[in-house]
Amino acid sequence: MDVKPQQLPAIEPRHVDAHAYPQGVAFLDGQYLPMSEAKISVLDWGFLHSDATYDTVHVWNGAFFRLDLHIERFFNGLERLRMSIPFDRAGVTEILHNCVALSGHRSAYVEMLCTRGASPNFSRDPRDATNRFMAFAVPFGSVANPEQLERGLHVSISQRVRIPPASIDPTIKNYHWLDLVRGLYDAYDNNAETALLLDFNGNVAEGPGFNVFAVKDGRLATPATGVLPGITRRSVFDLCAEAGLVAEAVDVSVDALLGADEVFITSTAGGIMPVTRIDGVAVADGKVGPVTTRLTDAYWAKHDDPAWSTPVVYS
């Protein structure tokens, strides 16, 4: 039987993207673009191998919060991953300001990132790739919604182990999130709203994009091992020092977390956020505690402190 040759499909001159994107502005290859036009190659090692580092900072009421700390952590990540970009700290700061100002957002989630990039000849040697810097500003989004912030988050402790520091340096902010995403699905299966993972010793580590604090007898503890040293986490230490509260980075066992008087999580995407239920059981009396409330109020008040905030020039 004769087989009729099939006609090959046409190669389109350009990609037509039917996906929806948040309103915002991105910087890529020296251009400021709508979010819908910011693209990377499918051959980029950031996509193929999660070979990238990034940092996020938020803008609140028209000002960046603790921008200098985020910039410094980003450049430390670049150095540890042997990446280079054609901008110094001042140059990246200017690009982030421009993304926010061009977007017009008064409250924004702002990200700077660098991927390993792609090799012109598809080499498997990372030294052959051209590193690629990009940034964007989109509307501010929180880990917790307004209802959860008022009554406290419901969290589940996943038995999944966070990638150990011997494998991935947790001080480098990265996109290795498969353990965190699987932990999230564990939480959803347990009717919880987000997850905490364990470290390699079975102690509490961190969650998807946040650190955790336990309060017991007025003293605060946060995991010391296998976690990203978050900027909001650092802000809690700074606020505690000002308020005369004791805060320590130590091993936090599951039992210690379950027996805490108060629990809260910290993230640039949301600030200080209360936790009132863990694995379906109320934390203490199941209400947002006084230490959490005190620190939350102090945290948002610092957004008006010029020592902690950097105004955006919109025109």
Side-chain angles (χ1 to χ4, degrees):
M1 183 177 69
D2 293 335
V3 178
K4 189 175 182 179
Q6 277 190 320
Q7 185 175 359
L8 290 173
I11 298 177
E12 302 294 340
R14 61 184 296 273
H15 173 240
V16 177
D17 191 346
H19 296 88
Y21 296 89
Q23 291 297 313
V25 171
F27 174 87
L28 181 63
D29 297 334
Q31 306 164 73
Y32 292 94
L33 304 160
M35 286 303 303
S36 59
E37 294 299 319
K39 316 288 185 183
I40 66 167
S41 169
V42 295
L43 299 181
D44 193 302
W45 279 45
F47 171 69
L48 293 177
H49 305 304
S50 291
D51 191 351
T53 187
Y54 73 106
D55 215 294
T56 57
V57 58
H58 74 235
V59 168
W60 193 254
N61 290 336
F64 284 97
F65 189 64
R66 312 214 82 174
L67 176 59
D68 55 337
L69 299 181
H70 288 280
I71 293 285
E72 193 60 34
R73 185 171 64 179
F74 178 62
F75 273 87
N76 287 340
L78 292 176
E79 182 179 359
R80 287 189 172 94
L81 290 179
R82 302 191 186 191
M83 291 179 176
S84 61
I85 61 175
F87 308 102
D88 59 12
R89 287 162 174 78
V92 170
T93 299
E94 180 181 0
I95 290 168
L96 298 184
H97 273 266
N98 289 342
C99 286
V100 176
L102 289 168
S103 75
H105 296 316
R106 305 289 298 181
S107 297
Y109 178 93
V110 187
E111 187 162 322
M112 64 201 95
L113 61 143
C114 183
T115 68
R116 186 68 63 188
S119 163
N121 59 359
F122 199 52
S123 165
R124 299 186 67 84
D125 187 335
R127 295 170 298 181
D128 294 336
T130 302
N131 302 160
R132 202 168 187 200
F133 171 79
M134 55 203 85
F136 62 82
V138 294
F140 179 78
S142 174
V143 172
N145 63 37
E147 177 192 350
Q148 293 164 346
L149 290 173
E150 183 176 351
R151 51 98 163 144
L153 282 155
H154 298 170
V155 173
S156 177
I157 299 176
S158 171
Q159 295 303 303
R160 301 189 190 279
V161 176
R162 189 72 175 109
I163 300 173
S167 299
I168 301 293
D169 182 352
T171 66
I172 303 171
K173 199 166 172 67
N174 61 71
Y175 292 124
H176 296 280
W177 270 50
L178 289 185
D179 51 349
L180 296 171
V181 172
R182 294 184 73 192
L184 270 176
Y185 276 97
D186 291 339
Y188 300 151
D189 289 343
N190 290 321
N191 297 314
E193 295 158 342
T194 191
L196 282 166
L197 272 65
L198 304 177
D199 70 14
F200 51 91
N201 290 318
N203 294 312
V204 177
E206 61 185 351
F210 59 80
N211 297 114
V212 63
F213 281 80
V215 182
K216 186 69 174 179
D217 299 328
R219 300 171 67 96
L220 287 81
T222 190
T225 304
V227 301
L228 174 75
I231 303 301
T232 311
R233 175 179 182 266
R234 172 172 171 169
S235 295
V236 169
F237 280 105
D238 293 340
L239 292 170
C240 285
E242 290 185 7
L245 295 170
V246 176
E248 298 177 297
V250 295
D251 287 340
V252 177
S253 69
V254 172
D255 286 344
L257 192 74
L258 295 176
D261 299 327
E262 303 176 41
V263 175
F264 62 83
I265 62 173
T266 60
S267 173
T268 293
I272 297 171
M273 296 163 280
V275 173
T276 52
R277 295 186 75 82
I278 300 175
D279 288 338
V281 178
V283 176
D285 63 0
K287 298 179 181 178
V288 179
V291 174
T292 302
T293 299
R294 180 182 179 186
L295 290 172
T296 300
D297 291 345
Y299 172 80
W300 289 106
K302 281 292 187 182
H303 284 65
D304 296 323
D305 186 339
W308 290 44
S309 295
T310 308
V312 176
V313 179
Y314 286 88
S315 60

